Amino acid sequence: MVRGLEDGEDFDLDRTIEARVQRLRGESPDSRLYKARKKEHRDVATLFLLDMSASTDEPIHREVRRHTDDDDADDWLKAWQRKPAAADRPRRIIDVNKEALVIMAQALEEIGDSYAIMGFSGHGRDNVEFYVIKEFDSELSDDVRARVGAVEPKRSTRMGPAIRHVREKFKDVAARSKHVILLSDGFPQDFDYGHDRRSNVYGIQDTMVALKELELAGVLPFCITVDRTGHDYLRQMCQSSRYLVIEDIAQLPRELPKIYEQIVRW
């Protein structure tokens, strides 16, 4: 908090009282009666990597989510929640993930942290899909908001190549502290992710190596899954301090900002 300003966000009560006393004494009061919050410089850049695999189309509950006429028409989060296409279907995993990203983006805009949003899917090694939703140097424009709203489930969960491409995205980022937060709902999987499509061993090992490569490049990864069995494979992919299993997916929008605050170093 910066005090002793001639203009600011709010009155400094102590200085205001002192100025009043000075007037009563016949003295010339100090006009520096305001205070303002000092913005701390946070040299941090975080990329949110969203799993857009087909399994994220699964509903989190079976009931249909409804929205009332009391919803704020200017609220971005509620605006896309009210889309006609979503009004008559259950709330899905991808919908909760998008809601969490909307809340996170709005919070980061407030504090001024640099961030990007990307998504991934794929179908085979020759068709890895990587979606750029927001670049680090992009503003939170209407186009970016529209891209978040348009995110839909695609194909398989081919994590390794997506993580390696994320490493390239950080090459021109000058922030001292660099982070990747991976939001997923299951283990790495694709029809040709290894010789035996019934086994997830190759996908897990490939993702583990990609995460290590990312860390060696100076980017700290953190994996969040809403898969309750996530401990089984995440403990093979990274250290226990580098992942979190969310037991109740509906809590993700509330929990993500708390997780960000805990893991991001600046």
Side-chain angles (χ1 to χ4, degrees):
M1 186 69 71
V2 180
R3 302 179 184 276
L5 302 175
E6 292 190 352
D7 190 18
E9 297 175 357
D10 201 0
F11 282 107
D12 185 325
L13 182 59
D14 291 340
R15 286 179 174 269
T16 302
I17 292 173
E18 180 61 28
R20 179 63 175 169
V21 171
Q22 288 173 336
R23 286 195 186 91
L24 292 173
R25 291 175 179 169
E27 301 173 3
S28 178
D30 192 337
S31 62
R32 295 172 296 177
L33 306 178
Y34 291 88
K35 61 183 179 180
R37 293 181 182 85
K38 181 182 179 181
K39 272 197 171 182
E40 297 180 272
H41 178 63
R42 297 164 57 96
D43 193 11
V44 59
T46 303
L47 190 149
F48 295 88
L49 183 59
L50 179 63
D51 174 2
M52 294 168 57
S53 58
S55 58
T56 62
D57 196 43
E58 291 293 319
I60 64 168
H61 302 300
R62 292 300 172 184
E63 69 270 15
V64 176
R65 183 171 184 173
R66 302 293 182 185
H67 302 280
T68 69
D69 293 336
D70 295 331
D71 288 344
D72 183 357
D74 294 326
D75 189 295
W76 173 32
L77 172 59
K78 292 178 181 177
W80 69 258
Q81 284 178 338
R82 289 197 307 272
K83 291 188 301 180
D88 55 357
R89 70 185 178 201
R91 192 179 182 211
R92 304 165 300 163
I93 294 171
I94 196 74
D95 297 323
V96 177
N97 287 343
K98 292 194 307 186
E99 182 178 330
L101 288 175
V102 168
I103 292 171
M104 199 70 242
Q106 291 173 329
L108 295 179
E109 289 291 320
E110 288 291 325
I111 63 178
D113 283 6
S114 178
Y115 69 100
I117 303 172
M118 315 279 173
F120 72 95
S121 182
H123 187 66
R125 63 181 302 163
D126 296 322
N127 188 21
V128 178
E129 300 168 347
F130 193 88
Y131 301 88
V132 176
I133 301 167
K134 181 189 178 297
E135 296 274 17
F136 283 110
D137 58 358
S138 299
E139 296 181 355
L140 186 56
S141 63
D142 289 341
D143 286 343
V144 170
R145 291 184 172 96
R147 285 195 289 272
V148 173
V151 166
E152 285 293 326
K154 300 296 182 182
R155 301 187 185 187
S156 298
T157 314
R158 201 174 185 97
M159 287 186 186
I163 293 170
R164 291 184 176 94
H165 191 59
V166 161
R167 187 182 64 197
E168 297 300 311
K169 287 289 183 182
F170 275 95
K171 283 194 171 179
D172 296 325
V173 176
R176 179 182 60 82
S177 182
K178 303 174 185 178
H179 301 263
V180 168
I181 296 180
L182 171 63
L183 297 175
S184 180
D185 76 322
F187 56 84
Q189 187 179 35
D190 201 350
F191 78 91
D192 64 347
Y193 224 173
H195 297 296
D196 184 357
R197 66 178 300 172
R198 296 169 298 179
S199 172
N200 60 15
V201 173
Y202 183 91
I204 290 173
Q205 293 297 312
D206 181 50
T207 304
M208 176 192 72
V209 172
L211 289 170
K212 286 183 177 178
E213 291 170 349
L214 191 64
E215 197 158 357
L216 286 172
V219 182
L220 289 178
F222 192 86
C223 303
I224 301 173
T225 184
V226 295
D227 177 10
R228 294 178 180 178
T229 66
H231 293 286
D232 295 341
Y233 51 87
L234 281 169
R235 64 166 60 101
Q236 301 177 56
M237 288 163 44
C238 54
Q239 301 175 19
S240 59
S241 61
R242 306 307 307 167
Y243 78 83
L244 180 68
V245 176
I246 302 286
E247 295 289 339
D248 181 4
I249 183 176
Q251 295 301 312
L252 180 62
R254 180 179 297 177
E255 293 299 320
L256 185 57
K258 298 177 186 177
I259 296 168
Y260 179 87
E261 186 178 10
Q262 291 172 0
I263 67 172
V264 170
R265 306 169 187 169
W266 52 279

